[in-house]
Amino acid sequence: MEYFLQQLINGVTLGSIYGLIAIGYTMVYGIIGMINFAHGDVFMVGSFMALIVFLALLALGVTFMPLALLIVLILAMALTSLYGWTVERIAYRPLRGSFRLAPLISAIGMSIFLQNMVQVAQGARVKPLPPVITGGYQFGAAEGFVVNVSNVQIIIVVTTIALMVAFSLIVSKTPLGRAQRACEQDRKMAALLGIDVDRTISLTFVMGAALASVAGLMYLLYYGVIDFYIGFVAGVKAFTAAVLGGIGSLPGAMLGGLLIGLIETFWSAYFTVEYKDVAAFSILAIVLIFLPSGLLGRPEVEKV
Amino acid sequence: MPDAHAGAAAPSVFAVAFKDAALAALVALGLAAPMLGLVTVQTQSGIELEQHWGRVAIAVAIVFAGRLLLNLTLWRPGRKKSLGYVPPKVEARLARFAKYLAPLAILGAVVMPMLPFTERYAIDLGILVLTYVMLGWGLNIVVGLAGLLDLGYVAFYAVGAYSYALLAQYFGLSFWVCLPLAGILAAFWGVILGFPVLRLRGDYLAIVTLAFGEIIRIVLLNWYWFTGGPNGISGIPRPSFFGLDFDRGDDGFAATFGLDYSPLHRIVFLYYLILALALITNFVTIRLRRLPIGRAWEALREDEIACRSLGINTVNTKLTAFALGAMFAGFAGSFFATRQGFISPESFVFMESALILAIVVLGGMGSQFGVAVAAVVMIGGFELFREFSDYRMITFGLVMVLIMIWRPRGLVSTRSPSVFLKEKKAISGSLVQEGHG
Amino acid sequence: MIDDAPALPPELLLRVERLTMRFGGLTAVNDVSFDVRRGEITALIGPNGAGKTTVFNCITGFYKPTVGRLTLASKEGPLLLERLRDHQISRKANVARTFQNIRLFGGMTALENLLVAQHAPLMKASGLTVLGVLGIGGFNKAERAAIEKAKVWLERIGLIDRADDPAADLPYGDQRRLEIARAMCTEPVLLCLDEPAAGLNPRESLELNALLRSIRDEDGAAVLLIEHDMSVVMEISDHVVVLDYGKKISDGAPLHVRNDPKVIAAYLGVEDEEVESVENEISAEASS
């Protein structure tokens, strides 16, 4: 029981990180219908930005942790957003409205570029960060079992929930969100109605990158080690999460992320660590075969 | 722009270009300052930052100068045609030219190892390029003809390689027995994996094939007792010349033909082997395009619903494309195993799938010639820059982006009809659908 | 062929019985029954959203009807269409169709389009591809025959000179006719046309009428068509079925249907009460 609860908490934490990345995939897919293959690498860049900013703050003598983390969060989001914006501007915008596979290849090229750029710039070795946030709570000591919830986990889950709420509000309530939904439905019509489509799409990439950088920061805090290659695996799993939840749906991305996180954690805990990715991917295949539009996606009606 | 206004407008053009370049430089500064300027280094006391502002300055300067130059030349306002535009007539002429170029290229490939100045390095590179040409042609059946986006093609390459390696290891079977078996096994896996997922459309199919590719790799990586796990399989038997080994022995290839032993014999043999395999792939694909199955693939790419209304069993048709593509990957895989003598899951990562797909898309989907050219350019170019190992992957990624922007439909974007009454006219790529599956 | 498929009277080709199709809460087709006779052109008409295309999609296997029986008298005996998968409809039942928004293979030439339609016989001739790849067996002969057949159809629709042009490059009217020719290349007993005259100019419309008549008279295929253009319907159809809001409101010869007050009301868009009042008037006249 305690083992189960412990894994549940670990799974939810991991799932939050996947969910945040998945939102970036799902928003971009929703609005321009492409897999932003470089998004996983934007997440990786985000984690590096967080690490660099954090170290810079330490060097500057900012040692009050809550303040430091807040600044790291904001700066990492800003800097990573710039990456997201640039990637869209260089690799995707010139290809908009052309052939479906062209942006996909261009995205793969961008992913290779980012990965290797970071490898060359920052070195190929893993970057460890000593635990920044320590401590936590223990539950159930009186009942005879122990479940640990670390402060990092609490921060991750709380931040994720807060960001989810904020972004859901942006999408449902603000003019930007309305513009996004309009572009999703019909880009030409939206443009005719005076919506700046290019700007809306750019902002979507910026939002996705910002969330990915938060996920990067959390990954850094949670695992305490990053390298230039973390983007691929995390990206594939987050995309899996987005598809699982129903691509194009924000709550779906979060749900998918949670499920992938939980599947992975429980599989590692009860079966074998080696095959955790196989478990996640198999679930994806099975869900898609029986529920082709994902868990919360709108079913696609075949127009004859 | 009329001449009278040119004088007055020129400075403003420059001013606009300058301002734009300055903005780009500012963005570059934002991107580069933390990433290039502050390097995380692990020291004994922990992890610290090292400052490298010189690199940032170089990056910003390159962006500024490049952008300014582009603004003043290619992107100058008033310049209508973008860089990638080739008039349809020219393109059609190029396509016709390609018809004569293809036999020439094949001839060149055949005589290349015999030329006196050809070095071993060139033959090795030729083998590598031809392997990718073959893989590209194989995937072209799936992506280019049938319009099914497969991001896990490397899985079948792996199945082929491991089939040969394991069959040779456990049953002592020779390469020539294993080659067809590897193809059949890969095709079999193609059907097994394809059957449940081929009803998925578009990007769903892409992500599931990607997942399957990863699953196969992870299984190979963790099934220690059977596949050797991350250590892979070594000592895979080298191919023989129809039973004659390439060794110094009296019954070896060299002795039998009265030649002096040379390690080059095997390399040249491998070269011709992969050339033959690739040409078989090409021949079969060209033949298939003229058969009902090939037309059904292309029709499927154009409009699946119409296909169904014409009595085409779309599931079987897709499965055949998937299985045949997998089969050629299987052949290529067993060749890879015998050439290397050693295989491990390292060789079958997602990057390989992405690379092969990039070759198909860059070449122009459906065009055999374009795919071959793309393989030569990508793999050959990549190998030529071997000395710049650090920067070559960066350049490689960037080149992929640039080629796509330059020619989104690939190098050869026209489609050539499979049959004609009077005149074979190239069909403009803009009319050809790319498939939804 | 299938035990519980009842034999149809010899003059009937297709019998639609109690066809109902629901999408979630929406009933697109509600309890519709009608017959299609051999050697006739049957028109299915009705205002927008009446459920005509849904009926088509049920007959051609793209939808599975919620309720209802669709019996087709095929060469091998009565067949229940609702039990066949979409691609079997063409192969086993020999029912071919066109689409409201043309679905040609745009990047393939007109000739290739017509060859794709002959997939099944060519596939057999190519020895399921295996013999074809090796170049043995009777594939080449079969392909020549297929090209001949395609040429005949290209002549009939006046596109022989454009045989080697991509279908997407053809003008709209030509695309419509090419799509019909493509459907005819599957040698159907029943040809279903979804708004074949939509977007045609008057001359093209006349050509279409002639083509459809020749299909009925020379090829012996029954035609079932959805059409908005009343002049086409009245001109060529032998039998008209009218749907409105998913229900059949009239069925009979063109003249009969044209004078049916329910049809007039449906097309003029009058309220239900008014229909009733019109009906009452007519019945009052009849009885007086």
Side-chain angles (χ1 to χ4, degrees):
Chain A
M1 183 62 193
E2 62 180 80
Y3 191 60
F4 177 83
L5 276 179
Q6 186 65 57
Q7 298 309 324
L8 186 70
I9 291 162
N10 295 348
V12 168
T13 315
L14 184 60
S16 304
I17 296 177
Y18 287 150
L20 283 176
I21 312 173
I23 290 175
Y25 279 110
T26 231
M27 285 200 303
V28 166
Y29 191 92
I31 200 160
I32 52 174
M34 74 165 277
I35 305 177
N36 178 10
F37 229 98
H39 190 63
D41 298 289
V42 170
F43 153 76
M44 178 271 295
V45 167
S47 71
F48 267 86
M49 287 297 172
L51 177 63
I52 291 167
V53 173
F54 185 74
L55 292 178
L57 285 176
L58 283 187
L60 291 173
V62 183
T63 47
F64 178 57
M65 268 314 142
L67 177 67
L69 284 177
L70 192 68
I71 300 176
V72 169
L73 184 73
I74 292 168
L75 275 181
M77 277 172 98
L79 290 168
T80 314
S81 299
L82 195 60
Y83 269 86
W85 181 85
T86 313
V87 166
E88 193 271 337
R89 193 71 188 73
I90 293 178
Y92 308 150
R93 191 179 294 179
L95 291 171
R96 203 172 296 149
S98 97
F99 202 50
R100 181 173 61 107
L101 281 178
L104 181 72
I105 299 298
S106 167
I108 291 173
M110 214 56 204
S111 156
I112 296 174
F113 172 78
L114 284 176
Q115 234 174 65
N116 290 281
M117 192 264 294
V118 172
Q119 186 194 353
V120 169
Q122 296 283 333
R125 295 176 56 185
V126 294
K127 310 284 174 188
L129 180 73
V132 177
I133 305 168
T134 48
Y137 299 90
Q138 267 191 358
F139 292 104
E143 287 85 1
F145 61 88
V146 184
V147 176
N148 289 305
V149 182
S150 69
N151 286 338
V152 176
Q153 290 178 316
I154 295 173
I155 291 178
I156 288 176
V157 174
V158 169
T159 317
T160 304
I161 293 172
L163 282 170
M164 260 310 282
V165 171
F167 273 74
S168 302
L169 284 179
I170 290 179
V171 170
S172 61
K173 294 276 166 16
T174 63
L176 169 65
R178 240 184 336 266
Q180 279 179 324
R181 279 175 290 143
C183 292
E184 226 166 88
Q185 296 284 325
D186 189 335
R187 231 183 297 154
K188 268 193 197 128
M189 197 60 213
L192 284 176
L193 292 174
I195 291 172
D196 187 341
V197 174
D198 279 344
R199 188 171 148 265
T200 310
I201 293 175
S202 277
L203 280 173
T204 307
F205 274 85
V206 164
M207 281 162 71
L211 288 177
S213 77
V214 178
L217 169 64
M218 289 169 171
Y219 187 98
L220 178 68
L221 293 176
Y222 192 52
Y223 288 103
V225 56
I226 56 171
D227 63 60
F228 70 98
Y229 198 64
I230 58 170
F232 174 69
V233 178
V236 169
K237 287 211 200 112
F239 186 71
T240 302
V243 173
L244 186 62
I247 198 149
S249 146
L250 284 190
M254 212 54 233
L255 177 69
L258 274 180
L259 282 176
I260 295 285
L262 287 171
I263 291 164
E264 213 182 294
T265 315
F266 278 109
W267 190 276
S268 315
Y270 289 99
F271 301 101
T272 53
V273 183
E274 290 87 4
Y275 289 107
K276 65 180 172 119
D277 294 352
V278 172
F281 291 143
S282 308
I283 298 272
L284 168 85
I286 292 166
V287 167
L288 282 184
I289 287 161
F290 292 104
L291 210 67
S293 45
L295 295 171
L296 300 183
R298 263 168 272 137
E300 194 181 324
V301 180
E302 190 177 66
K303 277 293 253 186
V304 179
Chain B
M1 205 181 300
D3 278 343
H5 295 280
S12 85
V13 166
F14 184 79
V16 169
F18 189 85
K19 203 178 145 198
D20 177 80
L23 266 174
L26 199 66
V27 172
L29 181 69
L31 295 173
M35 194 51 94
L36 303 182
L38 298 168
V39 176
T40 49
V41 212
Q42 198 170 4
T43 59
Q44 295 197 320
S45 56
I47 188 158
E48 281 170 7
L49 287 179
E50 237 176 50
Q51 302 186 24
H52 289 262
W53 300 111
R55 306 202 293 197
V56 180
I58 293 171
V60 171
I62 289 175
V63 168
F64 178 76
R67 185 91 185 178
L68 189 63
L69 208 66
L70 280 172
N71 280 339
L72 292 175
T73 54
L74 292 174
W75 294 345
R76 207 171 57 190
R79 240 187 93 99
K80 284 254 166 51
K81 278 159 194 165
S82 64
L83 196 59
Y85 181 80
V86 180
K89 263 190 193 156
V90 177
E91 198 160 307
R93 208 169 303 151
L94 279 177
R96 227 168 302 144
F97 184 54
K99 215 166 70 183
Y100 303 105
L101 214 59
L104 268 179
I106 293 174
L107 192 71
V110 171
V111 298
M112 193 273 272
M114 299 181 210
L115 297 175
F117 52 84
T118 302
E119 289 171 27
R120 181 183 165 152
Y121 171 70
I123 302 178
D124 271 332
L125 183 58
I127 293 175
L128 188 69
V129 168
L130 283 170
T131 311
Y132 280 94
V133 170
M134 177 167 178
L135 286 168
W137 279 340
L139 184 61
N140 198 15
I141 295 177
V142 184
V143 180
L145 294 182
L148 303 166
L149 184 49
D150 182 355
L151 284 180
Y153 192 60
V154 79
F156 306 121
Y157 189 42
V159 168
Y162 272 88
S163 297
Y164 170 49
L166 292 170
L167 284 171
Q169 195 177 39
Y170 286 98
F171 300 103
L173 296 180
S174 80
F175 174 73
W176 295 103
V177 177
C178 291
L179 181 70
L181 282 179
I184 291 168
L185 279 170
F188 173 71
W189 274 98
V191 172
I192 296 226
L193 297 188
F195 192 71
V197 303
L198 281 176
R199 77 181 92 180
L200 297 176
R201 307 180 125 222
D203 302 310
Y204 292 109
L205 180 65
I207 195 76
V208 174
T209 50
L210 189 159
F212 275 145
E214 284 295 291
I215 288 176
I216 286 195
R217 189 181 64 84
I218 295 168
V219 170
L220 291 176
L221 197 60
N222 290 302
W223 201 355
Y224 295 101
W225 66 268
F226 188 57
T227 65
N231 301 327
I233 301 172
S234 51
I236 301 168
R238 300 311 196 120
S240 57
F241 184 79
F242 305 102
L244 298 174
D245 287 325
F246 290 94
D247 59 16
R248 287 179 192 278
D250 287 340
D251 48 0
F253 173 81
T256 312
F257 287 91
L259 302 166
D260 291 331
Y261 172 78
S262 156
L264 212 57
H265 288 160
R266 172 157 57 212
I267 309 292
V268 172
F269 174 68
L270 282 171
Y271 177 86
Y272 282 117
L273 180 60
I274 186 66
L275 182 63
L277 284 172
L279 287 178
I280 289 172
T281 311
N282 184 34
F283 170 77
V284 170
T285 312
I286 289 175
R287 196 72 209 142
L288 285 172
R289 270 201 72 204
R290 291 200 46 130
L291 289 171
I293 186 74
R295 285 204 198 103
W297 288 336
E298 293 202 74
L300 203 63
R301 180 192 66 201
E302 296 286 323
D303 194 325
E304 185 175 339
I305 287 174
C307 277
R308 285 192 262 154
S309 82
L310 295 172
I312 294 172
N313 184 337
T314 50
V315 174
N316 287 357
T317 309
K318 285 180 182 177
L319 269 184
T320 335
F322 219 63
L324 275 170
M327 184 179 81
F328 289 120
F331 290 147
S334 69
F335 172 82
F336 176 78
T338 194
R339 181 206 168 199
Q340 299 289 97
F342 163 76
I343 50 168
S344 77
E346 280 281 274
S347 309
F348 308 106
V349 292
F350 167 73
M351 257 326 291
E352 291 290 313
S353 289
L355 182 61
I356 303 164
L357 181 67
I359 286 173
V360 173
V361 177
L362 294 175
M365 296 206 330
S367 159
Q368 297 291 99
F369 185 70
V371 168
V373 171
V376 172
V377 170
M378 298 270 285
I379 306 299
F382 190 63
E383 286 301 311
L384 288 181
F385 284 99
R386 193 170 269 286
E387 295 131 62
F388 311 96
S389 59
D390 271 0
Y391 294 95
R392 91 179 160 154
M393 278 307 276
I394 300 186
T395 321
F396 184 70
L398 215 53
V399 165
M400 265 167 89
V401 175
L402 292 178
I403 296 186
M404 274 296 100
I405 292 171
W406 174 51
R407 282 186 81 78
R409 284 194 168 256
L411 300 169
V412 181
S413 64
T414 55
R415 174 182 176 269
S416 143
S418 63
V419 64
F420 60 95
L421 274 191
K422 291 191 198 77
E423 185 195 355
K424 194 170 192 164
K425 302 174 189 166
I427 296 170
S428 155
S430 57
L431 300 177
V432 179
Q433 298 296 309
E434 51 186 319
H436 302 279
Chain C
M1 205 170 146
I2 297 166
D3 298 336
D4 50 355
L8 295 180
E11 76 276 11
L12 286 194
L13 181 63
L14 172 73
R15 169 163 273 174
V16 175
E17 287 167 285
R18 316 215 61 174
L19 178 67
T20 301
M21 182 78 208
R22 289 192 200 99
F23 298 100
L26 177 88
T27 306
V29 176
N30 192 359
D31 202 15
V32 168
S33 305
F34 63 91
D35 292 335
V36 174
R37 274 183 285 280
R38 289 177 194 278
E40 279 194 3
I41 295 178
T42 305
L44 195 57
I45 65 168
N48 281 331
K52 300 169 305 234
T53 299
T54 307
V55 170
F56 250 53
N57 286 339
C58 289
I59 294 174
T60 52
F62 282 89
Y63 293 161
K64 282 263 162 293
T66 319
V67 186
R69 191 162 67 174
L70 306 161
T71 320
L72 183 106
S74 79
K75 284 168 210 151
E76 288 134 38
L79 264 183
L80 291 177
L81 294 184
E82 73 271 16
R83 300 210 178 151
L84 298 179
R85 305 226 329 263
D86 43 17
H87 67 268
Q88 294 173 322
I89 295 273
S90 165
R91 268 199 212 174
K92 286 194 176 163
N94 295 96
V95 175
R97 72 170 289 175
T98 65
F99 296 87
Q100 198 170 336
N101 26 12
I102 305 171
R103 285 185 177 274
L104 284 168
F105 306 121
M108 303 173 85
T109 63
L111 177 65
E112 282 180 306
N113 267 277
L114 298 188
L115 289 182
V116 173
Q118 302 177 55
H119 179 78
L122 282 175
M123 197 69 185
K124 207 178 272 170
S126 75
L128 295 172
T129 306
V130 180
L131 298 179
V133 170
L134 302 172
I136 46 182
F139 175 68
N140 289 342
K141 204 175 137 209
E143 193 187 32
R144 272 198 299 278
I147 292 177
E148 278 313 310
K149 186 165 157 193
K151 268 162 92 175
V152 169
W153 273 103
L154 287 168
E155 295 275 7
R156 276 179 77 172
I157 58 172
L159 284 180
I160 190 74
D161 293 331
R162 305 213 60 182
D164 298 325
D165 286 327
D169 255 359
L170 300 174
Y172 192 79
D174 291 352
Q175 291 194 12
R176 283 257 175 236
R177 271 178 291 139
L178 181 60
E179 205 190 12
I180 294 173
R182 188 181 68 180
M184 285 309 294
C185 278
T186 66
E187 303 201 332
V189 292
L190 176 64
L191 176 66
C192 301
L193 305 174
D194 199 342
E195 299 200 20
L200 300 189
N201 62 34
R203 190 180 55 80
E204 287 172 330
S205 205
L206 283 179
E207 282 171 10
L208 177 76
N209 290 353
L211 178 66
L212 293 187
R213 280 206 195 89
S214 81
I215 285 172
R216 176 190 60 190
D217 302 335
E218 291 166 31
D219 304 275
V223 178
L224 176 63
L225 60 94
I226 292 179
E227 195 43 77
H228 270 301
D229 186 338
M230 277 319 211
S231 65
V232 174
V233 172
M234 293 304 154
E235 175 76 22
I236 62 167
S237 46
D238 305 298
H239 172 200
V240 179
V241 178
V242 191
L243 297 185
D244 191 24
Y245 291 113
K247 286 189 165 172
K248 186 170 88 171
I249 56 170
S250 187
D251 184 346
L255 268 178
H256 165 78
V257 166
R258 183 156 64 181
N259 297 323
D260 189 329
K262 274 189 173 169
V263 177
I264 297 166
Y267 268 88
L268 297 178
V270 289
E271 300 293 319
D272 283 355
E273 302 89 69
E274 285 183 57
V275 178
E276 265 166 43
S277 66
V278 174
E279 274 174 345
N280 289 341
E281 273 172 40
I282 290 175
S283 57
E285 267 174 44
S287 60
S288 65

